[in-house]
Amino acid sequence: MNGAVAEWLEGLEPDDEDLAQRGLLARDDLVDIRTQDGQTVWNTAAFAFLDSAPPDSVNPSLWRQARLNAVHGLFEVVPGIYQVRGYDLANMSIVEGENGRIVIDPLTSVETARAALDLVERELGPRPVSAVIFTHSHIDHFGGVAAIEEATGEGAAPVIAPAGFLNAAVSENVMAGVVMGRRARFMYGGPLPRTARGHVDSGLGKHPALGTHTIAEPDILIDRSGQILEIDGVRMEFQYAPETEAPAELTVFFPDFEAWCGAELVSRTMHNLYTLRGAQVRDALAWSAAIEDARRMFAGRTNVIFNSHHWPVWGRAEAEAFLVAQRDVYKYIHDQTLRLAAQGLGPDEIAEEIALPDTLGEVFAVRGYYGTLKHNARAVYQRYFGWYDGVPAHLDPLPRIQAAQRYVGAIGGIEATVEQAEAAFATGDYRWAAELAQHAVFAEPDHGGARDVLARSYEQLGYGAESAPWRDVYLTGAHELRHGIAASDTVGAGAEILDAIPLDMFFAALATRLDGLRAARADRVFNFVFTDVGETHVIVISNGVMHHRRGNAADDADATVSLTRNFWTRLMRQEAGLLDMLGSEDFSVDGDRRALYGFFGMLEQPDSDFPVVTP
């Protein structure tokens, strides 16, 4: 298969390797970025193995994308606009002003942002930062901002962001952060080695950077399309594009450079309508419409498109064609999913049936390196119809473990099930082999033969996947079957990000940790008075439900807690416990202490390392 695919690849858009290198000004052979305590944040040598022909263990199309995403250095987009690429999952873009620089998207971590800015200043000369633009509310586009703030010169540089940025940036991972974090380790191949049999790419770039994450409150909000700013002599025309790739997103056109920054509204891949780490389904119609709005506003004046990921698109005709393909792919998935649903197909059948026309399918910039046609079609179905596909037997199915045990029994027992899985594997029917073996593992999780054939099936599915997240999901599943679940290596949110989270969000998230059955007969009222920020929050436990409001203290409270925001943050980060409550000057209780400690005792501690591929 690889030979045929490789031959096909050679006939399609062969100039992308040249475009990914175009404008290169400087490159260090080795980029090795570490935290102060020596933890590796970013290392380009880890992907040196990509400098070869595609092996059988990687889809050749994904190998091509992985090689292009491995190109790193400082690049000139047009005179006066530059990008640092390959220093993080995202790009940092630089626009030269009259006296300083405007920085767009300061990467994921302080460490990678500082290294990128050092490269810029080394090659282009030191200049102060005159403004910072956050294009949207995902952490790989703002987390390194503290490094940029160090370079603002005598005065603080304004931070420009889309309306709703701060709320979106800090809230997405609060309510469901533990589950998202666990699933993100699968999506981005956290425990996998960087090899041709492990993690090779993320589709958008190499991988999310670790390190120190920060945030800044915006000074200027973009809340409408057509908004115009001029900073440091640079004219900017903004598009406000919320509820597209991110809840809060903007794009910006630079008329003096005839250049449009498309943020992550457009990328050189099909993006996710549903991201595998878990998130609310994105609106395919709104996304497509926003791309069309950008096309109408800017394409006729644009000679180059540069984005938050990948390499630019040069040329007016090329920019127009790029935007048309990006616009059309999301609306095509939307429309065809609903057409097939109206023919009576469910989400799984639609995922098998739907296909892109050649006019889109042969365009690399909309191929499924990140999102995929299959799971995006399922996402459209979910957005309109929810989890229930209309089949009565699916309305109240057996839980996975019970169903697995009964399937295995119906097949003839664990050995017969494993034998059938092995037979399917031998014929290359890896999806069916995985289906059978997954039932076997859920029925008898310690059965070595079941785990082995499931791991091998996952590996083969991963090796064939064109989507980098699909590959990482499969290979991470195999890795955990073989080696167990590694302790979470996810770097937690920085203190600055935790401090930016409104206390209302913390209490809303806290309600999801309450054991409802244990709390059902323990109705309580508590006041939490935050002495350093001047806020009072009241929580009410009723029928096993925790309600919350901010306002005046309740007169009938069982207890009133006085504490500082810093102490609360320590509690949330599990850096403080009951003994600290008893002895800290930052924490005091007036009222029924036993009721309060009983409440804390009914809060469950989430498990960041829960099993996924085993019961």
Side-chain angles (χ1 to χ4, degrees), residues 160-233:
I160 304 165
F165 164 81
L166 195 61
N167 182 75
V170 301
S171 68
E172 183 177 52
N173 295 321
V174 174
M175 296 290 281
V178 171
V179 179
M180 282 190 183
R182 176 72 173 109
R183 289 171 51 148
R185 288 154 68 185
F186 276 73
M187 179 176 174
Y188 294 109
L192 298 178
R194 276 47 176 154
T195 68
R197 291 187 177 271
H199 174 83
V200 299
D201 200 61
S202 290
L204 286 177
K206 301 321 296 174
H207 59 87
L210 300 177
T212 307
H213 308 319
T214 56
I215 197 169
E217 186 171 355
D219 302 292
I220 301 172
L221 292 176
I222 304 303
D223 59 7
R224 67 188 184 278
S225 293
Q227 204 165 334
I228 295 174
L229 291 176
E230 182 172 333
I231 294 177
D232 196 13

Side-chain angles (χ1 to χ4, degrees), residues 95-98 100 102 130 229-236 254 256-257:
V95 181
E96 296 288 302
E98 291 178 353
I102 296 173
S130 50
L229 291 176
E230 182 172 333
I231 294 177
D232 196 13
V234 176
R235 295 189 299 153
M236 296 173 279
F254 297 90
D256 296 328
F257 298 92

